[in-house]
Structures are given as C-alpha cells and as structure tokens.
C-alpha cells in the first residue's frame, strides 16, 4: 500500500462532513507530518497527525465525523481500509500505527506502579498501547517501598512477580509495634488453606521496582514506551469525549491518540482537578531518612514506634539500607522555625523515642542531612464519568501511607480491570458507553479490598497520631488489643495486608478496640470517679464513631 495523497484521503473519507490536508512539522523521529483535519460546522478543526514517509498508513482509528451520526457526537471509528498487509503481521501493523501515527487502543499517561502494570495487562490482552512517561530515569522516592502480601499475590497473578527479583528486595513477615518502649509482635496470619504457611510482603527501593516494571513494559510487543511530557488532553468540542493527549516530546509539540486514555500521573496529577470531583487533603508530611546498617530489633518486620508524638515507621529496603519515615503534622510547635525546624524536632523529640539499637544509625543519617519529605494525602475514590478517559492510581484515590497499602490497591485494581475490560467483555475500547458501565462496576467491586485499606489507613493514623485524651485512650486500647494475640492480631493485620477483604471485619475489630478502651478507663477508675469515667467512656465511643464513620461515608459515595 503506497503513501496516500490528498485526493486518495478525500476519496476514502467521502462520507465525512469535510476533510482536508494541512501543513505540519517534523515528528520526534525526524519524519515529516501533515494534519488530516476532520471538520464539522459545530466543532473546531480536529488535527490528526499522519506521517507521510511511511509505506504503510493504517487509518483505522482516526477521529471522524459521520453524516449519519448526531451532529453533537464525535466518534472514533475505523475507516474502510485493509486490516491486513501482505508484508506485515498484525502486531507489526499495530506497532507502525503507534510509532508512525501515534494512534492506538489505549494511551497510558504515567509509567509508575499502576501505569506500567495496566499497560502490560492491556497489551497482553492484544490491545495496542502507548505508554507515556515524562522521565524514564529511575525515580527516587521515600514512599511506595513496602508491598503487602495482598500486593505480592496480585503481582504474581499479573505475571509480574519477576519484577521483585534483582532489586535487593527484603522479605517482610509482619510488624512490631512499640508503645512507649513496650513492643508487641504482629506476624501476618497463617494461611489455613496453604498448610498454615504465613504470607510474606516485600520491601525495596521504590525506583528499582519501577525500573523493573518499565523494563517489562518495554519487552511487550504491543507497547510503545515514549519519554514525553503530557501537557493536556484532547477533548471533542461536540461532546466531552477524550480522544487522546497533547505532549512535549524532545521539546516539540506532539499528539497521541487512543480509543481510551488512562491517566495515572500520580499523587500530583495535573488532570485530577479538571476531571474529578474531589481534591486531596493533607494534614502532615512524612520526613524520610535512609539509615545504613541499622540494627533493627526485629529484622524482617516493619516497625511502628508510638510515643507522645506522631508515629515513626522503620523498615528495611535493602541489604544495608533501612527507611525511617517520621510523620510530622502541620504546625507542630517543636518543628517550627523558631524551635530549630524539622531537624531539631527529629533530634530532640523523635531520636530519644526510638529503640536504643536504632538510635546511632538514625543520628548518623540525620547528621548527614539527606532529609526528604512527602505529603501524606487522603483522596476518596470517584467514579470515572468522562467518555474516553479513566483516572486511576494515586490520581484517583489515595490514603495515608502509614499502612503501606498504596501499591497493593494499585495492583489489585489492575487485576480487577483485567477482567472488566477484557476483549471478551469489551471487544472495542471505542465503545465508551460500555467502558463507562464497566468503570461504574469497577468503582463498587473494588470496595471489598480498597475500602478496607483506605478506611484502615485513615483510622489507624488518627489513633497512632493521637492528639486529644479520647484518641490517646483509643491508642492505648489498640495496643492492649494487640497484646491479646490470636484473632485480635490476625484480623487487623490480615486487613492491613490485603488478605482479609471484608469491611465488616474492620468494623468489628475497630469497635472491639473502642470497647476495650472504655473498659480500661472504667477498670482503672476508683469507685467515687465512676460517674465521670462513664462520661469519659461516652466521649471515647463518640470519638471512635467520629473517626470511622466519615471515612465509611466517603466510600459509599459514587
């Protein structure tokens, strides 16, 4: 098939309102481009890039306007061109369509945890995918470093378990919680189905895991990975359908078109405000240090340190490296500039509260001064309602990273979408009505896991960062509850690990903690103070309801 001239294009698009060729510029590969513009009286001209120096020109997914459709509807539909070529396999034709024409089934914005995994998953289902990432350098972040057992399981089901190899990942067997120096061990619960074997999580350098996921994406024949900064979404003037993206590739403006645009550009998403009803809120930051050869009290476990301040997390991310994350709420007096700032707070308040064996490596890292911070954000989930667009990952839903649930949520979301958007269920991603229907199903079906992790993260943080008498009573009750062992730790850690996916189990354990907290107040009060203690118990129960129910409410919204 030769390169079509303007007349041939006009002949092939004779059913459209109006098509014309306009001058273009060079693409990032050096090929000359022109614009095929489809025009409608009620729509502005819509440009579609065509590479004029290729020998194969599959116009099978252009944005077009058909006369037999309502004037307000802009559709993506195949032209009557050959679906095969004697010199090229279907996979090669899709590759040419991606590389030469920047056109595919799905454009994925962001090659992080979710973006890389969903791109690979769609590609393995036969979809043609363009994966865009502003920087393909190995990222360096201080969160997203602990993958719970539920996330490891999802990674394995996605066929990506090998991405945990060759990154010096560490086994995680559970947690050790310290309450004012007193510890309680909380291992992941034994699997009654698998001969009592206890599941394991993994902790690692975030950037190394991302690198492995991207390497896996680059090996997929149905994926083209491009280092490009997406600047805006291309939206129909006649409807609100998203048709693709505009981007800067090597400093030049470019276009990428897909039947579906998946935006997974992370916690600082530039598109969330325009297309989602909620905005993230943040009341604290995690300040991170990398400790070298730290002597952890319980190797192979995450450590949660509770004292008079906000919680501290410690977990190994490599053979010699341990991550320390210190939560510092906004406007903490001891971290104010007048008191010497964050470093002073870490040295004078946090350091003395740590296990003695950890203090030397923490002090050495603090003296080295390589402090970094990340906001601890909460963003309730929303249903995607824009045709041709889905926002997912941290762009759509976030919770406090205290419980390390973010990657587990992301990978299980991909696992669920693998079924809901499979070619057997959604033959064509151009069917935006069916895609949106499946996304509504996705919003509610993910609740068994993600609602549990979202609510648990926010509720636990409220207790662990206790800043009033009622919350401090609940914090003590929580620690005493863990000390009971058995079901009192198997249930909560199973929820946190992404193993138990039953919201009612979370409700049961949370209010069991509340009742135990009330009993501790009553049992420690002299007889003459029982009436006051009764009022204290009422305020504790009220506080427990105020902690939990608002987060339940955010999960019940669509």
């Amino acid at each position: 098939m030769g390169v079509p001239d303007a007349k041939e294009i006009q002949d092939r698009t004779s059913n459209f309102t109006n098509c014309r060729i306009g001058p273009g510029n060079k693409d990032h590969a050096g090929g000359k481009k022109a614009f095929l513009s489809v025009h409608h009286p009620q729509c502005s001209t819509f440009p579609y890039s065509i590479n004029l120096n290729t020998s194969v020109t599959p116009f099978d997914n252009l944005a077009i306007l058909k006369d037999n459709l309502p004037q307000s509807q802009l559709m993506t539909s195949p032209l009557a061109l050959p679906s095969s070529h004697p010199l090229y396999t279907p996979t090669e034709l899709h590759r040419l369509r991606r590389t030469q024409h920047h056109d595919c089934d799905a454009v994925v914005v962001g090659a992080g945890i979710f973006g890389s995994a969903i791109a690979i998953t769609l590609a393995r289902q036969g979809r043609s995918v363009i994966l865009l990432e502003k920087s393909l350098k190995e990222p360096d972040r201080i969160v997203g470093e602990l993958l719970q057992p539920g996330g490891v399981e999802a990674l394995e089901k996605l066929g990506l378990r090998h991405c945990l190899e060759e990154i010096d990942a560490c086994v995680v067997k559970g947690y050790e919680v310290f309450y004012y120096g007193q510890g309680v061990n909380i291992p992941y619960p034994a699997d009654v189905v698998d001969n009592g074997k206890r599941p394991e999580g993994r902790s690692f350098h975030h950037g190394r895991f991302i690198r492995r996921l991207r390497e896996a994406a680059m090996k997929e024949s149905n994926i083209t990975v491009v280092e490009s900064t997406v600047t805006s979404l291309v939206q129909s003037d006649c409807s609100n359908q998203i048709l693709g993206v505009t981007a800067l590739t090597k400093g030049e403006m470019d276009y990428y078109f897909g039947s579906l645009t998946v935006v997974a550009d992370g916690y600082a998403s530039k598109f969330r405000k325009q297309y989602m009803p909620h905005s993230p809120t943040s009341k604290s930051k995690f300040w991170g240090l990398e400790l070298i050869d730290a002597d952890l009290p319980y190797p192979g476990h995450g450590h949660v340190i509770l004292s008079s301040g906000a919680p501290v997390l410690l977990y190994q991310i490599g053979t010699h490296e341990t991550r320390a994350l210190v939560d510092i709420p906004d406007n903490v007096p001891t971290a104010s500039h007048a008191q010497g700032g964050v470093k002073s707070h870490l040295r004078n308040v946090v350091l003395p509260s740590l296990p003695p064996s950890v203090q030397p490596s923490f002090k050495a890292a603090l003296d080295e001064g390589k402090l970094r911070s990340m906001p601890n954000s909460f963003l309730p989930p929303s249903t995607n309602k824009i045709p041709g667009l889905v926002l997912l990952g941290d762009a759509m839903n976030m919770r406090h990273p205290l419980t390390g649930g973010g990657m587990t949520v992301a990978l299980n979301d991909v696992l669920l979408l693998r079924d809901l958007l499979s070619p057997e269920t959604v033959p064509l991603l151009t069917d935006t009505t069916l895609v949106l229907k499946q996304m509504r199903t996705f919003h509610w079906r993910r609740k068994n896991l993600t609602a549990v992790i979202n609510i648990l993260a926010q509720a636990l943080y409220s207790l662990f960062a206790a800043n009033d008498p009622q919350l401090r009573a609940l914090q003590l009750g929580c620690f005493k509850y863990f000390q009971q062992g058995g079901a009192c730790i198997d249930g909560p850690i199973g929820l946190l690990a992404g193993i138990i996916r039953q919201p009612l189990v979370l409700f049961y354990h949370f209010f069991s903690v509340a009742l135990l907290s009330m009993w501790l107040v009553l049992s420690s009060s002299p007889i003459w103070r029982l009436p006051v203690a009764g009022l204290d118990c009422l305020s504790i129960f009220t506080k427990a309801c105020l902690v939990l129910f608002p987060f339940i409410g955010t999960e019940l919204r669509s």
Side-chain angles (χ1 to χ4, degrees), residues 381-383 439-447 557-558:
S382 304
T383 307
M439 293 310 298
R440 287 192 295 272
T441 302
F442 167 78
H443 177 78
W444 294 109
R445 194 175 291 179
R446 70 195 290 265
K447 295 295 182 184
R557 293 193 304 233
S558 61

Side-chain angles (χ1 to χ4, degrees), residues 5 47 50 92 125 229 245 286 299 364 401 416 460 479 532:
D5 56 20
I50 303 175
E92 289 170 334
Q125 292 180 327
T229 302
V245 303
F286 258 150
L416 179 55
L460 267 186
F479 183 75
V532 177

Side-chain angles (χ1 to χ4, degrees), residues 107-398:
V107 175
V108 179
V109 180
I113 302 292
F114 183 90
S116 297
I118 192 66
I120 294 168
T121 300
L122 291 172
R124 290 178 179 177
Q125 292 180 327
R127 311 285 195 188
S128 178
V129 180
I130 295 175
L131 178 57
L132 304 175
E133 170 57 45
K134 64 181 179 181
S135 174
L136 291 175
K137 295 179 180 178
E138 184 173 301
D140 185 15
R141 293 181 61 190
I142 62 169
V143 294
E145 298 171 318
L146 197 155
L147 184 63
Q148 299 289 359
V152 174
E153 181 185 8
L155 198 68
E156 187 164 3
K157 290 180 179 179
L158 290 169
L160 295 171
R161 177 66 182 262
H162 65 279
C163 292
L164 291 174
E165 299 170 359
E166 301 176 11
I167 60 172
D168 195 24
C170 302
V171 172
V172 180
K173 300 177 180 178
Y175 283 82
E176 183 76 17
V177 177
F178 289 89
Y179 179 80
Y180 290 89
Q182 187 178 5
V184 59
N185 184 249
I186 308 178
Y188 292 128
D191 189 340
V192 294
V193 177
D194 192 12
N195 298 319
K197 182 180 179 181
R198 293 187 181 274
E200 296 177 343
R202 291 292 186 273
S203 55
F204 39 73
H205 288 271
H206 175 83
R208 296 177 187 176
F209 183 49
I210 293 289
R211 170 173 51 80
R212 291 285 284 161
L213 286 171
R214 290 174 179 175
E215 288 171 354
M218 292 175 185
K219 291 177 181 178
E220 294 291 329
S221 60
N222 283 334
I223 298 179
T224 297
V225 181
V226 183
E227 190 171 62
S228 184
T229 302
V230 175
T231 56
S232 64
L233 304 184
V234 177
Q235 190 166 15
S236 165
D237 287 342
C238 302
S239 69
N240 62 349
Q241 181 177 342
I242 300 300
L243 306 170
V245 303
T246 59
L248 285 175
T249 306
K250 296 185 178 179
E252 294 191 5
M253 181 64 71
D254 217 335
Y255 297 89
Y256 297 89
F257 299 99
S259 304
L260 181 66
T261 299
V262 180
V263 172
D265 58 341
Y267 77 96
S269 173
K270 66 172 70 173
F271 303 109
R272 180 193 299 122
K273 184 176 181 180
Q274 185 176 356
Y275 297 103
M276 283 286 159
H278 307 304
S279 298
T281 57
S282 176
K283 297 181 180 180
S284 69
K285 289 182 179 179
F286 258 150
W287 289 83
L289 287 169
E290 187 174 299
L291 315 186
I292 303 301
D293 293 324
D295 184 10
L296 293 175
Y298 289 87
H301 291 71
H303 295 62
V304 182
I305 316 298
L306 305 178
S307 60
S308 58
V312 178
L313 297 182
L314 301 168
Y315 52 90
Q316 201 169 349
I317 57 175
T319 303
H320 299 284
E321 304 86 31
T322 294
R323 174 68 67 208
L325 293 176
V326 180
D327 185 271
I328 301 182
D330 297 342
N331 303 316
V332 170
T334 53
S336 66
H337 182 72
Q339 295 293 323
V342 170
K343 279 192 174 183
S344 176
H345 174 85
L346 295 177
R347 192 178 303 277
N348 299 324
V349 177
V350 175
L351 180 61
S353 70
L354 299 178
S357 64
V358 178
Q359 291 184 16
S361 58
F362 187 91
K363 184 178 182 301
L366 189 58
D367 290 340
E368 191 175 349
K370 293 182 179 179
L371 260 178
R372 289 180 295 162
S373 68
M374 285 283 290
N376 295 324
S377 301
F378 172 64
L379 176 67
S382 304
T383 307
N384 285 272
K385 299 179 179 180
I386 305 297
L389 171 70
V390 291
L391 267 78
L392 293 163
D394 283 353
M396 185 270 288
N397 183 206
M398 290 186 285

